[in-house]
Amino acid sequence: DAGVTQSPTHLIKTRGQQVTLRCSPKSGHDTVSWYQQALGQGPQFIFQYYEEEERQRGNFPDRFSGHQFPNYSSELNVNALLLGDSALYLCASSPTGREANYGYTFGSGTRLTVV
Amino acid sequence: AQSVTQLGSHVSVSEGALVLLRCNYSSSVPPYLFWYVQYPNQGLQLLLKYTSAATLVKGINGFEAEFKKSETSFHLTKPSAHMSDAAEYFCAVSVNSGNTPLVFGKGTRLSVIA
């Protein structure tokens, strides 16, 4: 049973560019959350998608946006990239309902470097 | 709002020695607490979680943690360190049930010396 799959694994972009990161959730999971982990820091919550809608959002600017597709996969988009956006971006999936009790499964992340 | 403080950004122990990683939390409501491990260039793996059941929680790879409400702590321990335990460890807090976002500490890097 595949876990959470993220692509690409590494990415280098130039300041001002736009980037799209992708996530396929674990089988049976319908909720996807995105986290940003800067170097030497703990992950920070960006937003969460369920039923193709953004349900919760952390303290991130509107340059960060997302989407969830009918098959529960998700994309994270970042516009007008800044050097400070360089980080490991983690996707976490989870089920809803009674099994939602903290069943987060994390992917291995996408390492984004902005130059 | 919830927050987590991990005392010590780097802990070094000898192989076979006790591992103790400290975590203190702040929460206005009863918390749910977690420990995750991250190996180099990998994502997060859940070690254990406290969700208001037994205060002593046993996890994978021989790790355990004890929830102490009076001390607002959730320290992670392992009786005997292995070389393979070398990694980054994160404590996290959440509230309520369901898919509530996790709030992570800054992490503690564990080194194991042969």
Side-chain angles (χ1 to χ4, degrees):
Chain A
D1 178 25
V4 177
T5 304
Q6 291 188 244
S7 63
T9 54
H10 295 84
L11 202 54
I12 300 175
K13 289 288 189 178
T14 304
R15 277 178 298 176
Q17 285 188 316
Q18 179 265 343
V19 68
T20 297
L21 310 182
R22 295 175 176 82
C23 172
S24 293
K26 181 178 178 179
S27 177
H29 288 185
D30 55 7
T31 299
V32 173
S33 302
W34 288 91
Y35 288 80
Q36 180 196 65
Q37 185 180 11
L39 195 62
Q41 301 293 318
Q44 284 194 298
F45 174 70
I46 302 174
F47 45 52
Q48 182 182 88
Y49 277 84
Y50 170 66
E51 291 187 330
E52 303 179 47
E53 291 188 10
E54 183 182 295
R55 299 291 180 170
Q56 302 182 73
R57 189 179 183 93
N59 188 26
F60 279 80
D62 291 345
R63 296 188 298 109
F64 290 77
S65 63
H67 188 77
Q68 186 179 36
F69 299 93
N71 67 352
Y72 310 125
S73 66
S74 176
E75 290 182 347
L76 164 65
N77 301 293
V78 187
N79 294 322
L81 284 167
L82 304 174
L83 294 180
D85 295 332
S86 295
L88 179 68
Y89 289 85
L90 295 166
C91 173
S93 72
S94 52
T96 52
R98 197 171 60 174
E99 296 182 1
N101 202 15
Y102 309 100
Y104 288 105
T105 300
F106 281 83
S108 295
T110 294
R111 174 73 64 187
L112 172 65
T113 302
V114 182
V115 298
Chain B
Q2 301 77 45
S3 66
V4 169
T5 301
Q6 292 185 241
L7 301 176
S9 59
H10 184 209
V11 171
S12 185
V13 300
S14 298
E15 191 175 19
L18 172 71
V19 175
L20 171 61
L21 305 182
R22 298 178 187 274
C23 172
N24 288 89
Y25 69 90
S26 173
S27 177
S28 57
V29 297
Y32 293 80
L33 296 158
F34 309 80
W35 275 99
Y36 284 87
V37 61
Q38 186 176 39
Y39 297 100
N41 301 314
Q42 293 190 27
L44 301 175
Q45 180 182 10
L46 180 66
L47 281 176
L48 49 82
K49 61 185 179 185
Y50 166 77
T51 56
S52 75
T55 56
L56 182 62
V57 181
K58 294 187 183 298
I60 62 172
N61 301 338
F63 285 94
E64 64 180 38
E66 185 173 7
F67 172 68
K68 292 187 176 181
K69 183 178 178 180
S70 61
E71 298 177 8
T72 60
S73 68
F74 191 58
H75 302 330
L76 181 70
T77 61
K78 182 174 181 178
S80 176
H82 295 171
M83 297 297 290
S84 60
D85 293 328
E88 190 86 18
Y89 291 79
F90 292 95
C91 181
V93 64
S94 186
V95 295
N96 301 320
S97 59
N99 290 306
T100 307
L102 298 171
V103 175
F104 287 88
K106 292 187 175 182
T108 297
R109 182 163 60 92
L110 175 66
S111 297
V112 182
I113 304 168

